[in-house]
Each structure stands twice: as structure tokens, then as C-alpha cells.
Amino acid sequence: MHTFFLCYLIGILILTMLMLYKLFRGPGIFDRFIGILVMATNVILILILIGFVDGRRDMYVDVAISYGILGFISSVIIAKFIGQKGGGRHGR
């Protein structure tokens, strides 16, 4: 089971590196925003997998939950900022 989690962790790390390319080379602001959201989700998954490989699941799950809450709040703030910037065209 340990090798399964380790292989899964390596696969997620490779996918995260590919997402970094999309994050920095995205054609528009919305593509980059989605890249940030996917990166936050991948980091949470990586933290939990490291906890399974390390054997200290409880500590890593607590950190992952905290990171998830922080990522959610920051994504709402960024989405609100992007919406206000583009919302002026459709409003008054």
C-alpha cells in the first residue's frame, strides 16, 4: 500500500508541474485563475498523500484543511475582484 501512495504522489507531482505551465502561459486571466484553483487542489492532495507516505496522517490532514480554507477564501476574493473589473461593462 505504501508503494501505491508513493506512485500516486509522483503522478500528482508530474500533473502539478504540467499545470504550472498552464498557470504561467495561460492565454487569458480566467485560464490563469483556473490554474491557480487547480494548483491549490493539487497541493491539498499532495499534502494528504505525503501524510499517508510519512505515516503522520493526522498532522498533514489538519494542514491540508487549513490550506483548503485559505485557498477557498482567497479564490472568492480574487473572483470578486475579477468580476468587479469586468462587471462595469454590463452594469449601468
Side-chain angles (χ1 to χ4, degrees), residues 21-80:
Y21 176 77
K22 181 73 169 175
L23 181 65
F24 289 118
R25 299 289 184 184
I29 188 73
F30 295 111
D31 292 327
R32 292 179 181 174
F33 180 64
I34 290 172
I36 289 172
L37 294 178
V38 171
M39 286 295 295
T41 305
N42 285 348
V43 167
I44 292 169
L45 188 60
I46 287 169
L47 282 171
I48 291 174
L49 287 173
I50 288 173
F52 275 105
V53 170
D54 192 30
R56 299 179 63 191
R57 291 177 277 211
D58 52 349
M59 182 184 77
Y60 285 100
V61 168
D62 290 341
V63 172
I65 289 172
S66 301
Y67 187 78
I69 292 170
L70 183 66
F72 174 73
I73 291 172
S74 63
S75 67
V76 168
I77 291 171
I78 292 171
K80 186 172 174 76

